DNA sequence: ACGGGCTGGGAGAGCGCTCTCCGAGCGTGC
DNA sequence: GCACGCTCGGAGAGCGCTCTCCCAGCCCGT
């Protein structure tokens, strides 16, 4: 009781003393385990408010082996760090990132869990992230892994860290994942372009090191072949708007009579639209453009993009749910949840 | 040495035994404190790799009172949660969010620290965030507080949690913050529009509950008044592209002869551009548009936006640095770092 | 009246680490 | 040769919590 308590944070012990019970009882009241006499419960609660007690989560974690944090790892391709560019700038600028975060929060909101963000865009960063996770700083990991050769998923698996992937890995791992049927998405785009009577079409794909990009392209190609179109100009982009502009310009130069373009994401489609406008091509009259994602970029410019929707928020929320499930019941088999793309018809195609 | 170790994680104790030293010595080697005989250091390091030891951070936190995590709190205005909308959807869709994250990572990269994301978009979420921080789950907080009446900064101050704010609070608190001279930014926009010979101008402001929005508007107004323009049509927007479209449409209806518009962020400017295109107004010939932020939205459409640059990444990185500084030297006086806006001249004005 | 289950609280042993204190060993100065 | 300081490793006390035991008391059936 000696005042001048020197700022020592109040502990369970203090509360117990004030309430006149044992530490164990206070703990029971706080965690709601077992029956505790209502009168004592009251006393404890009063003591808690009186002392302003807040449990120390490090101490709690030490014994429960739970932290209340989930890692959200953005495991990008090794980005060259240009001096004027900020860390992960391109990744974080992509609407995709915000949608994932939003979905994760949707899945986490009801619980008392928080996402800790990690950027694994280099071997060094990946090691750091792995170490961090190994140290038990988070209960599990959600990994948005863009590149095919990313070793992180396998490392997490080996380390025994509960993990769920956004996007299937190139070679199956016994890790749960959530993904879109990208091939089918590509097919949808092709079918739509074909139904609109476009026969001189081209594709702006994403980086072919990314499985989703390859799948979208091959789905598109397959369906186009089904429609009898076998020649398919193709430029590889990097999913940025700037690259969409560059790709469209190059396509236009080489194939001036194009009447349809499929871009593997909305950002690149938006870039294509801008270049087309500069070239005075009317969309969709002269040339139809179809995007992918249905992100905010789809309705940012004019005309609004017709696009293949990827329900990123739902997928991220599902990824979170799956991870929570694994945490709740360890040893559960890995599952893959596949989402179906849908066509969102707007004005550009 | 009895095998069948039942998966118990290896601890310091184990390493010490293997290396033939005491726990303390292993700890010293790991944390690099004091001189330890090189031969012993080697032995310890070998033992560490041999056993695959990874320190448990909960145990470490318990005694060091450091967690290695920094909270990044997005304390938005109380968002109505519509069923089809995802948590924080609008906030996370704004390029601003990604830029902040990028800047924070830039500031954190060299250290072994990670940001944990928190969304405080309701009283309940705010309480949760506060509790989380009080429990010592993070060493400090970086708060992007959008709304003027947000009680969170004051609560954090009262709770004694090291905090740095992005954006000055409406009433000064003894908390460090990083902000832009928004008023000056508004002035820059006005001066540029005036220099371009525009006299029938209007403003699309941000939500007036947000200090930055108010400051930008009043700076713009002041400078316009200096140029002899006192009548200034004004529509309040909410910083979204959709609202920019709505605002521009409304402005156009009421003031068809406008020849200049200042939008308080690029997203709204982009919306304005789209509406202007639909109305066949040429930008900048018929009407000049100037945005604010210099986000990726500025160059997404055509024409590229002339805009007042807010170096969000640098500001976020600085915010991180300031927080780290407060953590390194507690009891240090609060500082305010003010960044200067600059005009980025492109095509729209 | 008595044994057996059941309810509800206390004692205390850790969880895995850090860090202060000690003391052994050794070089140094006079 | 001896006291002194210095370097470097070990012992052990916690950090604040959870959770398993254990035990006291009580209600029940017979």
């Amino acid at each position: 009781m000696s005042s001048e308590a020197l700022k020592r944070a109040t502990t369970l012990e203090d509360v117990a003393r004030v309430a006149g019970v044992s530490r164990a009882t206070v703990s029971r009241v706080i965690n709601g385990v077992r029956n505790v006499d209502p009168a004592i419960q009251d006393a404890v609660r009063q003591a808690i408010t009186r002392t302003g007690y807040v449990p120390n989560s490090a101490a709690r974690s030490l014994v429960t082996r739970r932290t209340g944090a989930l890692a959200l790892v953005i495991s990008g391709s090794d980005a060259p760090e240009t001096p004027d560019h900020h860390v992960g700038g391109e990744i974080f600028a992509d609407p995709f990132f915000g949608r994932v975060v939003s979905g994760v929060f949707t899945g986490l909101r009801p619980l008392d869990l928080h996402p800790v963000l990690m950027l694994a865009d280099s071997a060094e960063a990946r090691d750091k992230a792995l170490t961090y996770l190994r140290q038990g700083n988070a209960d599990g990991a959600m990994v948005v892994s863009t590149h095919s050769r990313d070793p992180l998923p396998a490392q997490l698996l080996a380390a025994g860290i509960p993990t769920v992937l956004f996007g299937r890995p190139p070679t199956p791992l016994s890790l749960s994942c959530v993904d879109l049927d990208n091939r089918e998405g590509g097919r949808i785009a092709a079918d739509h372009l074909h139904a609109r009577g476009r026969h001189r079409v081209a594709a702006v794909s994403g980086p072919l090191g990314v499985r989703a990009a390859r799948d979208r392209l091959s789905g598109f190609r397959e369906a186009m072949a089904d429609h009898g179109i076998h020649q398919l100009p193709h430029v590889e982009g990097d999913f940025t708007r700037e690259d969409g502009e560059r790709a469209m310009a190059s396509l236009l130069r080489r194939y001036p009579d194009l009447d349809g373009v499929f871009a593997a994401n909305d950002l690149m489609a938006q870039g294509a639209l801008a270049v087309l406008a500069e070239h005075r091509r009317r969309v969709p009259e002269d040339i139809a453009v179809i995007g992918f994602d249905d992100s905010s970029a789809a309705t940012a410019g004019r005309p609004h993009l017709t696009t293949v929707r990827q329900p990123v928020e739902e997928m991220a929320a599902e990824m979170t749910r799956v991870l929570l499930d694994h945490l709740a019941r360890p040893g559960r088999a890995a599952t893959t949840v596949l989402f179906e793309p849908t066509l969102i018809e707007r004005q550009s195609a």
Side-chain angles (χ1 to χ4, degrees), chain A:
Chain A
M1 273 333 106
S2 71
S3 43
E4 302 306 336
L6 281 176
K7 277 222 176 168
R8 198 178 54 78
T10 68
T11 72
L12 252 201
E13 193 76 53
D14 301 327
V15 178
R17 205 181 316 116
V18 171
V21 296
S22 76
R23 228 170 43 238
T25 300
V26 179
S27 176
R28 282 196 270 262
V29 170
I30 290 174
N31 298 306
V33 307
R34 287 216 338 209
N35 266 357
V36 175
D37 189 297
I40 293 192
Q41 281 200 34
D42 267 17
V44 169
R45 278 189 229 290
Q46 276 185 32
I48 288 176
T49 52
R50 190 127 41 95
T51 55
Y53 171 70
V54 176
N56 174 313
S57 48
R60 180 177 286 176
S61 294
L62 183 55
V63 28
T64 60
R65 274 131 208 305
R66 280 301 182 93
T67 65
L70 259 37
L72 175 55
V73 188
I74 312 293
S75 187
S77 52
D78 295 22
E81 200 156 330
T82 52
D84 57 325
H85 245 64
H86 293 273
V87 176
E90 255 154 33
I91 296 170
F92 298 133
D94 196 312
F96 179 79
F97 171 66
R99 294 178 74 188
V100 170
V101 171
S102 173
V104 167
F105 269 101
T106 304
L108 248 36
R109 165 87 11 151
L111 295 314
D112 252 336
L113 294 169
H114 296 266
V116 19
L117 232 46
M118 310 214 240
L119 221 207
D121 60 351
S122 67
E124 195 198 336
R126 202 151 36 232
D127 282 352
K128 266 196 183 177
L130 200 58
T131 300
Y132 188 82
L133 257 10
R134 274 227 186 81
Q135 294 178 334
N137 283 295
D139 299 331
M142 297 178 278
V143 180
V144 180
S145 176
T146 56
H147 231 72
S148 276
R149 322 184 60 80
D150 188 352
L152 189 61
Q155 292 173 316
L156 290 169
L157 178 61
I161 293 160
T163 302
V164 181
L165 267 31
F166 192 109
R168 286 161 293 175
T171 56
L173 287 174
S174 60
L175 285 178
S176 285
C177 49
V178 164
D179 203 356
L180 185 78
D181 187 343
N182 284 298
R183 180 176 295 264
E184 175 62 17
R187 242 183 243 120
I188 289 174
D191 290 348
H192 183 69
L193 244 25
H194 182 259
R196 282 276 179 278
R198 309 302 164 130
H199 298 101
R200 298 183 304 282
V201 302
V204 178
S205 76
L208 296 179
V210 179
R211 173 173 175 168
R214 280 200 308 277
D215 288 353
R216 287 174 200 178
L217 180 62
S218 51
F220 186 74
R221 276 212 171 112
E222 278 171 22
M224 273 303 178
D226 289 349
H227 294 304
I229 297 175
H230 299 278
Q231 275 311 60
L232 196 69
H234 157 233
V235 175
E236 182 177 348
D238 68 358
F239 280 147
T240 65
R241 183 159 36 220
E242 290 70 28
D243 229 39
E245 297 185 8
R246 190 189 54 68
M248 189 72 245
S250 136
L251 242 21
L252 233 34
R253 207 178 317 115
R254 293 186 289 156
Y255 311 94
D257 63 343
L258 244 34
D259 64 3
V261 173
F262 167 50
N265 75 342
D266 288 343
L267 238 33
M268 293 195 299
Q270 202 186 6
L273 241 39
V275 168
L276 255 12
E278 284 171 350
H279 286 250
R280 303 272 169 255
R281 304 285 182 113
R282 291 168 308 160
V283 176
E285 295 84 351
D286 302 335
I287 181 167
V289 174
I290 185 165
F292 206 108
D293 275 353
D294 191 29
S295 73
S296 61
T299 53
R302 292 296 182 274
H304 283 181
L305 277 173
T306 287
T307 191
V308 177
R309 175 169 176 80
Q310 172 176 35
V312 179
E313 293 89 346
E314 280 86 348
M315 293 167 68
E318 177 64 23
M319 168 170 73
T320 309
R321 262 191 300 274
V322 172
L323 180 55
L324 293 174
D325 199 70
H326 280 297
L327 292 176
R329 302 185 254 308
R332 183 139 243 257
T335 57
T336 296
V337 182
L338 209 58
F339 283 72
E340 286 305 317
T342 50
L343 181 73
I344 304 292
E345 220 177 316
R346 295 206 181 85
Q347 300 145 13
S348 71

